[in-house]
Amino acid sequence: MKQIIHFTMLAILFSFLNSCGYEPIYSSVNLNIKFENKYIDGDKQLGNKIYSRLKEQFLISDNARKVNLYVAASSNKSVTSQSSTGKALEYKITVNAAIKITDFTSNQVLIEIDNTSSQNYKVQDRLFETEKLENKTIDNLIDKISQGLIIKISNINKFQ
């Protein structure tokens, strides 16, 4: 009897979500653009990671709007906490990204953002673990920057 009630509740929930107009924020349905050219300044590896995260989100069709992507990326690592002997206990990673999207044919600026995100992480017992945590922290910051840009693009009617 409990299984029937759970199944019924689940079916009602799904039918409600389908009929209420729910649409995921990061859905690529409304983001019909194609990056024709990419230009990366500063940290090339960081800029390419940002480009890859953005490219994953866009639906490309025959009538996709062609745009150019400019990314100027950099990162900075600083010590935020030290032991009494001067050994670093915690670091702060800051990722700066200036992103500009322009129309491919007219070169008109469609979106321009300058985003700075930072996050702290603690030093681990092993150097390998600390480096792994640093890379994960950088990936999290890149995701945050990319998601902010995707939201901005989806809110602008120029791409629809």
Side-chain angles (χ1 to χ4, degrees):
M1 186 68 180
K2 283 185 177 182
Q3 290 178 341
I4 294 172
I5 292 172
H6 288 308
F7 179 73
T8 306
M9 295 294 282
L10 196 59
I12 290 171
L13 178 66
F14 282 133
S15 66
F16 173 73
L17 286 177
N18 284 334
S19 64
C20 74
Y22 168 77
E23 189 174 322
I25 292 175
Y26 301 117
S27 168
S28 59
V29 174
N30 293 331
L31 306 176
N32 194 13
I33 66 172
K34 179 180 179 186
F35 296 117
E36 281 294 311
N37 298 312
K38 68 172 180 172
Y39 304 97
I40 298 176
D41 288 330
D43 188 336
K44 301 284 188 200
Q45 184 179 9
L46 202 58
N48 282 322
K49 282 184 179 183
I50 292 170
Y51 169 72
S52 295
R53 294 278 172 24
L54 291 174
K55 191 174 178 183
E56 291 171 358
Q57 298 298 320
F58 295 105
L59 176 70
I60 299 174
S61 66
D62 293 337
N63 62 347
R65 185 169 192 174
K66 295 177 182 178
V67 297
N68 296 319
L69 176 70
Y70 300 89
V71 178
S74 64
S75 65
N76 183 25
K77 177 177 156 181
S78 60
V79 177
T80 59
S81 177
Q82 293 181 339
S83 68
S84 58
T85 60
K87 182 180 175 186
L89 299 175
E90 187 175 85
Y91 289 105
K92 178 180 183 178
I93 291 281
T94 304
V95 174
N96 301 311
I99 302 170
K100 181 168 66 169
I101 297 177
T102 62
D103 186 69
F104 178 69
T105 54
S106 68
N107 221 16
Q108 174 189 6
V109 176
L110 303 173
I111 293 178
E112 190 168 12
I113 66 165
D114 192 4
N115 194 329
T116 301
S117 295
S118 62
Q119 187 174 347
N120 292 355
Y121 67 95
K122 293 190 183 296
V123 173
Q124 303 299 305
D125 293 334
R126 296 182 180 175
L127 180 62
F128 172 76
E129 292 172 351
T130 303
E131 289 174 353
K132 188 176 174 181
L133 186 57
E134 179 179 337
N135 291 333
K136 185 177 179 180
T137 303
I138 290 172
D139 286 342
N140 289 341
L141 294 172
I142 290 171
D143 284 341
K144 185 178 175 182
I145 290 169
S146 300
Q147 289 171 358
L149 183 62
I150 290 167
I151 290 171
K152 189 165 185 168
I153 291 171
S154 67
N155 287 333
I156 292 180
N157 294 329
K158 293 179 183 179
F159 290 111
Q160 295 180 0

